[in-house]
């Protein structure tokens, strides 16, 4: 058994490459997109996992790097573990705009609803439940169906001037 484990370890070690960066390299930063109420905006596999690219200012230790953060992300601590970074391969289609994205300290994103698109009334238990289709991102058209009374409490500005 030990000989087999040793052989497997040697195979894995031959292919394993430690992830290292130099000062001045560019990397993507891993984030978790969620709404302000904690619900995922879109399917996990379709949501952007990385923001950037950002430049590495300096290496702190063997697995920690300081990143030059833009003003929009100034609330984040600029030191990240190597597991939160991905090497940047220059390509203009990889760049995600961070000007409208506010990342929290726990690397989550709070999305604000843009507008109410449709209204619907359902009666599952004999009680009328009013649902509204909320557009979260006007650029991509991401939307979800939410309960109207909860959205009125959380986001009253969407309903100002409407009945």
């Amino acid at each position: 058994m030990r000989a087999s484990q040793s052989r497997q370890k040697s195979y894995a070690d031959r292919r394993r490459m430690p992830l290292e960066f130099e000062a001045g390299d560019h990397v993507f930063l891993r984030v978790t997109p969620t709404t302000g109420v904690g619900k995922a905006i879109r399917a996990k596999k379709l949501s952007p996992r990385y923001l950037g690219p950002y430049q590495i200012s300096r290496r702190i230790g063997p697995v920690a790097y300081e990143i030059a953060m833009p003003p929009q992300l100034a609330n984040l601590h600029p030191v990240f573990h190597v597991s939160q970074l991905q090497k940047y391969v220059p390509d203009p289609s990889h760049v995600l705009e961070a000007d409208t994205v506010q990342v929290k300290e726990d690397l989550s994103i709070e999305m604000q609803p843009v507008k109410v698109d449709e209204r619907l009334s359902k009666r599952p238990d004999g009680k009328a439940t009013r649902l509204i289709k909320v557009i979260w991102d006007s650029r991509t058209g991401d939307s979800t169906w939410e309960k109207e009374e909860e959205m009125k409490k959380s986001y009253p500005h969407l309903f100002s001037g409407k009945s």
Side-chain angles (χ1 to χ4, degrees):
M1 184 65 117
R2 285 191 182 137
S4 176
Q5 288 175 345
S6 175
R7 190 176 321 110
Q8 289 295 330
K9 182 181 180 328
S10 69
Y11 293 153
D13 287 346
R14 242 184 282 158
R15 295 188 48 92
R16 184 173 295 135
M17 296 290 292
L19 190 57
E20 293 184 0
F21 302 106
E22 300 289 328
D25 287 352
H26 285 80
V27 293
F28 286 114
L29 175 63
R30 182 187 313 241
V31 294
T32 309
T34 58
T35 64
V37 293
K39 296 180 182 176
I41 295 281
R42 46 191 137 164
K44 184 177 180 182
K45 65 182 179 180
L46 299 177
S47 61
R49 293 187 180 110
Y50 295 94
L51 288 179
Y54 303 116
Q55 188 173 13
I56 293 180
S57 302
R58 64 187 175 113
R59 184 175 180 163
I60 304 294
V63 293
Y65 294 91
E66 182 178 358
I67 295 180
M69 303 299 282
Q72 300 89 348
L73 303 177
N75 62 331
L76 292 179
H77 185 52
V79 178
F80 294 93
H81 189 269
V82 71
S83 67
Q84 298 299 312
L85 307 175
Q86 181 180 359
K87 183 175 174 66
Y88 170 64
V89 178
D91 185 356
S93 67
H94 291 164
V95 179
L96 296 176
E97 295 297 328
D99 55 350
T100 60
V101 177
Q102 293 295 322
V103 180
K104 296 182 195 175
E105 291 178 8
D106 63 352
L107 298 182
S108 63
I109 301 171
E110 183 174 334
M111 298 293 290
Q112 294 292 320
V114 178
K115 67 177 184 173
V116 175
D117 194 27
E118 297 178 35
R119 296 175 188 274
L120 175 68
S121 183
K122 286 193 170 189
R123 298 179 187 266
D125 300 333
K127 288 170 91 176
T129 304
R130 295 183 51 92
L131 299 174
I132 56 173
K133 186 176 182 180
V134 179
I135 306 292
W136 293 97
D137 188 355
S138 58
R139 186 171 40 97
T140 60
D142 289 338
S143 62
T144 57
W145 286 94
E146 304 287 342
K147 290 184 178 180
E148 185 175 21
E149 60 270 4
E150 291 176 8
M151 292 301 289
K152 278 186 179 181
K153 290 177 189 173
S154 300
Y155 306 103
H157 67 277
L158 287 176
F159 302 95
S160 60
K162 296 181 181 177
S163 56

